[in-house]
Amino acid sequence: MQSTNPNTFNTFAISQFNEYYLPSVNRQIFETIDSKTHFNKLFKIEFAKENLLHVIIGIDSGLLANYVLESSLPANSQFIFVELDSVLELLNVEIPEPLKQQVSICTIDELAEILNSRSNPVYIIKDKLVVHQSLGVRAQHLAEYAQLSSDVMAVVNQATCEHKTSFNQEIFVEQQLLNLTENHMPASILKGRYQGKTCIVTAGGPSLDEHMPWIKENKDKLFIIAVSRVAAKLTKEGVAPQIIVSVDPQELSLEVNSDMMALYNSSLLIHSYHICSRILSQWRGRHLFTGNRLLWDETNDKHNIESVGPTVTNAAITIAAELGFTQVLLTGADFCYSKTGHTHTSGTLEANLGPNMGHIGDWVETYCGDKAETIFQLTEAKKALAYQVSTLPQCKVINLSPNAAVIANVAHLALDKIVIEAANCSHQALFSFVDSQTHDLKKHYQYCLNQMSEAVLSLQAILKLANSALKLNRAGNQAEQLDKIEHKINKHHGKLAKVIKFYGYLEFSRFLSTTESSQWSQDHVEQMTANYYEAFISVSKKLEGIFKQAQQRCLSRLDELNPQSDVEPLIRQWLQDNQPGRALVWTHNLTRELSTKEVLALEPLANEFQLQLTDQQRYQSKLAAGYSLEEAFNKIMTLVIKKNLQGLMLMASTLKPRAVESDLAKRLYHLADSYCLDLQGKPQQALTTLLELGSELFTEVEFKQVSVLSLKLGQLELAALALQQLVSLSDEYLPQYAHLLKLRGQDQLALNTYMDYLNKYPNDILIWLKLGSFLYEIEQIQTAREVFNQVLALDPSNQIAINQLAKIA
């Protein structure tokens, strides 16, 4: 891979199909097959799909952008092309006025603003954003494109995180409603119970493995609060946590935390109000919730422990502080990759997959003074934790790992400096206290049922009013009547109306206008009003369905309390909720023996639940995409551009054992190793490792690196062999080859090569100057004079040519 030569970069060629292109970007790919044929093969099906946001890296000398502009664009799809500044300066792609709402061409500096504009956030939130690479980017021969790809993915990932956090309220509200029956005992019952004591929060980062022996050694003194991912690992090591913390509302959370489900007898679960309902409804043990049961009725939970994010580690630290612990030790809370590139503690799926070679992250400082890679989500969690700890002056938070990312307000201490103030709280003592906090489940379920029944009636009233408003708005000039309806909604259903707007923030945001209010026409106002009430209707209908689902669950939970209930309706409810493990919860709490008929009826549910806990295929497939080799090349080249030796060494060590798997892995290993050795000032070793790969696996990148290294070492014959291959790939290497021939004393071949290049690219002034100087050196004075005059014909004020002609004269 090479950096662009600014003097050959702006040279265009015309293919046999009469298509203008930049050879420096696209080499000769359009010489034998026209661009439309190429693009049809790669993009036709994808670009025809509706309701997608396409982010395309590179415009292929403008041809790919034109291909899209000349196509029949699908409904409700957007196309954003991101190109190098230097390429856009050379091209003038005109976007027709009617298509400017669907197609954009921008630089990397403009991408974030475009992703945040128009309806683009909607695509992001709904996972309708797809990133493509142009042919020039896929070809991987320009270093700038590797960096551009890295930068685009960083911007896209950041936008995805920000928008999903800001807009995606839906899943939190849905899980809160579906968890209503299970959120019956608040975590506040434990507030302040361990004042002045020490606890350890164990997270899922690699440093947990380092500290496991110390934890085991001090298990009798430590109060352990574990994030759900590592609770089973600790238990297997003989240090069962007193408390497990879980917060994730995503459905896949059950698969991710499946090992935890067997710990219902050995640990107390403290969970957010919005935890994945498949976990909570199938958990057989003791549990407490943080946050509020309902969005519109906070009176019962106003003193409860808050539900804090963005990660489960942040939540666990808040819980520890609220329980009174004044010293909170952290392990596995690294907020960065380990020195070996691992993201998670051993035993997890992520650790088994090895270092993530595709993701290009930021590099942060660790407590031991090294640099480590991290991702945007962890950077945000770091910021949140720094602020969070600043609000807990009574609580000292200490990270035990020297390899963790430095976080403001979080100290680091070595293990031998830690003084533990033991809580002296056995598991049994904790469980006995929780059990002593009496609560009437029947009364709680009845409260939940009443809330859901009232909410359904209120929603139906809101729907009726919103539909009336929509009809009035269509009739026109009904502002006074519309105001009365809005007043009625706010007066009689105000709390629920706020919930509707919060839950449907995305839908309601569409009725907002970017036009100044002073410029609103009557039609514009009526359209905004229509959008507003249409949002009210669609969101209310969606919520009504969830309320009814929760209402039905309340009735089923009441039936569960009746020892004589028929098991068949209960089973139907559990299966409808995709919670077969609820059968085990029911039998766990049952005060009578099961009949033979019930045992037979419940057996398939137990089997289905076990299958859910052991089938991690979905989660593994989701993870595997980030661990492929496809993006590893871009990562290597980005590290080369940044001269990040530590990152390159990590890539080389990670790729080395995989080099036997495939030619691609082998090639990437030797390439990364070569760049490492070159950065370390070992050009001969860098050349040797590359040659060990074998030229049959070389691409332009390897030939380029061989030519650079062999020239550096004075191995002109090897450099010539490499440049001969490069010349066959692109004309832009001809001047370098000519220079090498000159160094080898092959003057006539050098002259011929210079002229071959200039016959194709007669406007390249720099190469004319080099040719003139060469001719002067070999005493072809008259020809040199003609060449310098040619330069002046192209650039009359060129000082070098003027000086050389004066010298010749």
Side-chain angles (χ1 to χ4, degrees):
M1 180 173 283
Q2 66 173 50
S3 290
T4 309
N5 180 341
N7 297 288
T8 58
F9 187 75
N10 59 2
T11 306
F12 284 87
I14 307 175
S15 74
Q16 61 173 313
F17 308 104
N18 204 33
E19 294 181 325
Y20 284 79
Y21 68 94
L22 289 160
S24 54
V25 170
N26 290 114
R27 294 298 185 256
Q28 299 173 355
I29 195 168
F30 298 127
E31 285 295 342
T32 54
I33 299 174
D34 67 289
S35 65
K36 187 173 183 180
T37 302
H38 277 297
F39 298 148
N40 278 341
K41 182 179 178 182
L42 282 174
F43 303 117
K44 185 176 182 179
I45 294 173
E46 278 296 305
F47 286 0
K49 292 178 181 176
E50 296 186 355
N51 296 306
L52 283 178
L53 170 59
H54 300 275
V55 175
I56 304 142
I57 308 170
I59 60 175
D60 279 331
S61 306
L63 294 173
L64 181 53
N66 286 332
Y67 171 77
V68 168
L69 292 170
E70 291 165 9
S71 302
S72 177
L73 298 185
N76 299 318
S77 281
Q78 298 284 324
F79 295 82
I80 303 173
F81 288 94
V82 192
E83 183 55 275
L84 297 169
D85 299 34
S86 47
V87 172
L88 290 181
E89 287 171 5
L90 301 172
L91 299 168
N92 183 26
V93 182
E94 288 289 336
I95 301 175
E97 197 62 39
L99 297 179
K100 285 184 177 178
Q101 290 300 309
Q102 270 189 282
V103 181
S104 306
I105 300 175
C106 67
T107 65
I108 187 63
D109 294 333
E110 299 163 329
L111 177 59
E113 183 179 349
I114 292 174
L115 286 176
N116 293 326
S117 67
R118 299 201 293 266
S119 59
N120 290 334
V122 180
Y123 294 100
I124 295 171
I125 293 158
K126 296 191 172 181
D127 291 321
K128 295 292 186 181
L129 184 153
V130 185
V131 179
H132 310 274
Q133 292 183 336
S134 67
L135 294 174
V137 174
R138 289 171 183 234
Q140 301 181 338
H141 53 250
L142 287 181
E144 289 87 348
Y145 277 136
Q147 182 66 55
L148 182 64
S149 295
S150 167
D151 291 343
V152 167
M153 292 313 301
V155 172
V156 167
N157 288 336
Q158 181 166 348
T160 300
C161 288
E162 288 176 351
H163 287 300
K164 286 199 169 183
T165 300
S166 301
F167 287 95
N168 199 8
Q169 336 278 16
E170 291 187 4
I171 190 168
F172 293 93
V173 175
E174 287 168 6
Q175 295 305 306
Q176 180 179 26
L177 291 167
L178 297 177
N179 287 334
L180 184 58
T181 49
E182 275 60 72
N183 284 336
H184 48 71
M185 190 177 289
S188 55
I189 64 169
L190 294 178
K191 267 190 176 183
R193 283 193 64 78
Y194 306 106
Q195 199 64 46
K197 305 302 181 183
T198 298
C199 78
I200 185 167
V201 170
T202 59
S207 66
L208 176 59
D209 293 323
E210 302 166 28
H211 301 136
M212 191 64 79
W214 183 84
I215 295 170
K216 291 164 76 171
E217 184 183 330
N218 293 278
K219 67 178 181 179
D220 294 331
K221 292 188 284 183
L222 286 170
F223 189 104
I224 302 174
I225 301 176
V227 306
S228 48
R229 285 294 302 273
V230 299
K233 177 186 177 84
L234 288 161
T235 303
K236 286 175 187 172
E237 293 283 349
V239 282
Q242 280 92 337
I243 291 172
I244 300 171
V245 180
S246 189
V247 301
D248 190 357
Q250 302 292 337
E251 191 201 1
L252 268 177
S253 185
L254 177 65
E255 281 83 352
V256 176
N257 297 291
S258 57
D259 289 348
M260 174 193 87
M261 300 301 285
L263 309 180
Y264 61 91
N265 266 333
S266 57
S267 298
L268 167 69
L269 174 64
I270 298 185
H271 54 87
S272 63
Y273 65 86
H274 53 64
I275 185 179
C276 167
S277 63
R278 291 174 66 216
I279 289 180
L280 187 54
S281 290
Q282 300 180 107
W283 175 258
R284 282 179 266 176
R286 301 165 181 87
H287 59 95
L288 309 173
F289 73 94
T290 61
N292 298 310
R293 273 170 266 228
L294 287 168
L295 276 169
W296 61 87
D297 183 12
E298 301 177 359
T299 52
N300 293 331
D301 307 315
K302 61 183 177 182
H303 299 300
N304 197 15
I305 295 172
E306 284 187 56
S307 192
V308 173
T311 71
V312 65
T313 303
N314 298 86
I317 292 169
T318 289
I319 290 167
E322 289 281 11
L323 267 56
F325 292 105
T326 50
Q327 182 172 250
V328 178
L329 309 177
L330 302 180
T331 178
D334 303 332
F335 296 93
C336 63
Y337 298 173
S338 71
K339 288 183 177 180
T340 57
H342 286 84
T343 57
H344 288 70
T345 186
S346 62
T348 56
L349 279 174
E350 292 87 347
N352 294 338
L353 284 168
N356 186 325
M357 290 179 290
H359 181 85
I360 302 172
D362 295 323
W363 288 74
V364 293
E365 187 179 350
T366 63
Y367 287 105
C368 65
D370 286 341
K371 294 284 186 181
E373 194 172 13
T374 192
I375 56 176
F376 173 76
Q377 292 91 327
L378 291 180
T379 301
E380 292 302 296
K382 270 178 55 189
K383 292 176 188 174
L385 182 56
Y387 172 75
Q388 180 184 348
V389 175
S390 73
T391 66
L392 305 170
Q394 78 287 3
C395 183
K396 187 174 184 181
V397 180
I398 299 167
N399 202 320
L400 300 178
S401 176
N403 299 311
V406 173
I407 300 178
N409 307 314
V410 176
H412 163 67
L413 279 180
L415 295 178
D416 58 2
K417 303 291 185 187
I418 299 296
V419 177
I420 300 172
E421 289 291 336
N424 295 319
C425 178
S426 68
H427 290 67
Q428 198 51 53
L430 174 63
F431 299 160
S432 296
F433 174 76
V434 172
D435 291 343
S436 71
Q437 304 300 298
T438 57
H439 60 287
D440 187 333
L441 263 183
K442 185 174 182 179
K443 183 178 178 182
H444 169 70
Y445 291 156
Q446 194 60 56
Y447 160 79
C448 297
L449 180 60
N450 292 341
Q451 288 287 336
M452 290 301 96
S453 300
E454 289 172 14
V456 168
L457 290 173
S458 189
L459 268 178
Q460 289 170 347
I462 289 173
L463 273 168
K464 191 175 179 180
L465 289 166
N467 275 305
S468 297
L470 207 53
K471 288 176 185 174
L472 283 168
N473 186 60
R474 287 179 191 137
N477 296 316
Q478 301 291 329
E480 190 176 336
Q481 293 299 316
L482 288 168
D483 285 344
K484 286 180 180 178
I485 288 176
E486 188 66 17
H487 176 74
K488 198 176 286 187
I489 289 174
N490 292 327
K491 182 179 179 181
H492 299 293
H493 312 284
K495 287 184 177 179
L496 206 53
K498 286 180 182 177
V499 173
I500 292 168
K501 291 173 183 176
F502 176 76
Y503 175 74
Y505 185 82
L506 187 59
E507 284 88 345
F508 279 94
S509 67
R510 292 174 189 156
F511 100 91
L512 301 174
S513 175
T514 55
T515 309
E516 291 291 330
S517 58
S518 59
Q519 298 175 21
W520 290 355
S521 65
Q522 183 60 33
D523 287 345
H524 187 75
V525 170
E526 287 176 5
Q527 185 57 55
M528 286 173 60
T529 305
N531 292 343
Y532 175 75
Y533 285 108
E534 282 168 0
F536 242 126
I537 292 165
S538 66
V539 175
S540 295
K541 284 180 178 177
K542 199 185 297 183
L543 271 176
E544 184 184 16
I546 299 165
F547 284 153
K548 286 182 176 178
Q549 190 179 345
Q551 190 179 34
Q552 185 56 44
R553 192 173 292 187
C554 293
L555 291 168
S556 182
R557 295 294 187 264
L558 283 166
D559 282 346
E560 286 179 20
L561 294 179
N562 181 1
Q564 306 309 316
S565 287
D566 182 0
V567 75
E568 292 299 335
L570 296 177
I571 289 174
R572 283 197 295 273
Q573 181 66 44
W574 300 333
L575 292 176
Q576 182 181 311
D577 294 337
N578 191 23
Q579 294 168 359
R582 187 72 192 172
L584 299 177
V585 177
W586 182 68
T587 55
H588 181 75
N589 296 320
L590 202 61
T591 56
R592 63 170 176 81
E593 290 293 319
L594 290 170
S595 68
T596 304
K597 181 182 175 183
E598 287 173 329
V599 170
L600 290 172
L602 292 170
E603 186 177 353
L605 278 78
N607 294 336
E608 172 62 24
F609 180 54
Q610 191 56 39
L611 189 63
Q612 285 188 3
L613 295 181
T614 53
D615 181 13
Q616 296 186 321
Q617 187 58 46
R618 276 198 308 163
Y619 182 56
Q620 197 154 5
S621 299
K622 186 177 179 182
L623 281 178
Y627 290 79
S628 73
L629 291 172
E630 301 308 316
E631 292 298 321
F633 176 82
N634 278 345
K635 184 165 185 173
I636 290 170
M637 299 319 302
T638 301
L639 293 168
V640 170
I641 290 168
K642 294 179 178 178
K643 293 184 168 55
N644 187 329
L645 178 59
Q646 184 180 345
L648 280 168
M649 290 175 73
L650 178 57
M651 287 294 286
S653 64
T654 302
L655 285 161
K656 188 174 184 178
R658 295 189 62 178
V660 296
E661 294 177 10
S662 66
D663 286 345
L664 176 58
K666 183 179 179 182
R667 179 189 154 229
L668 292 174
Y669 160 64
H670 283 278
L671 189 62
D673 193 38
S674 177
Y675 283 127
C676 276
L677 292 164
D678 193 21
L679 279 177
Q680 290 173 300
K682 302 175 182 177
Q684 183 57 62
Q685 290 168 264
L687 180 59
T688 300
T689 191
L690 208 52
L691 294 175
E692 285 172 355
L693 172 61
S695 61
E696 67 277 4
L697 293 181
F698 278 18
T699 67
E700 183 177 344
V701 184
E702 286 76 24
F703 282 121
K704 173 70 176 176
Q705 180 72 343
V706 167
S707 72
V708 169
L709 290 169
S710 53
L711 282 170
K712 190 183 290 187
L713 293 163
Q715 298 182 26
L716 301 186
E717 186 174 343
L718 183 57
L721 290 172
L723 277 165
Q724 282 172 10
Q725 295 296 324
L726 291 169
V727 164
S728 69
L729 297 171
S730 174
D731 291 336
E732 67 185 76
Y733 294 104
L734 282 167
Q736 296 172 52
Y737 186 46
H739 179 69
L740 179 62
L741 291 170
K742 172 191 153 187
L743 292 176
R744 299 181 71 192
Q746 297 173 279
D747 292 351
Q748 191 55 51
L749 276 176
L751 282 172
N752 293 343
T753 304
Y754 272 126
M755 291 313 301
D756 285 345
Y757 175 80
L758 288 168
N759 283 335
K760 290 184 178 180
Y761 310 105
N763 295 324
D764 194 329
I765 290 173
L766 177 65
I767 303 306
W768 280 114
L769 289 169
K770 286 185 176 182
L771 175 60
S773 297
F774 175 41
L775 289 165
Y776 181 72
E777 285 177 31
I778 60 174
E779 298 182 350
Q780 292 193 22
I781 306 301
Q782 181 55 38
T783 311
R785 184 180 288 111
E786 291 171 4
V787 166
F788 288 125
N789 279 319
Q790 173 65 25
V791 171
L792 290 179
L794 294 169
D795 177 12
S797 61
N798 190 285
Q799 197 59 48
I800 295 174
I802 293 168
N803 293 342
Q804 290 287 7
L805 285 169
K807 186 177 177 181
I808 289 171

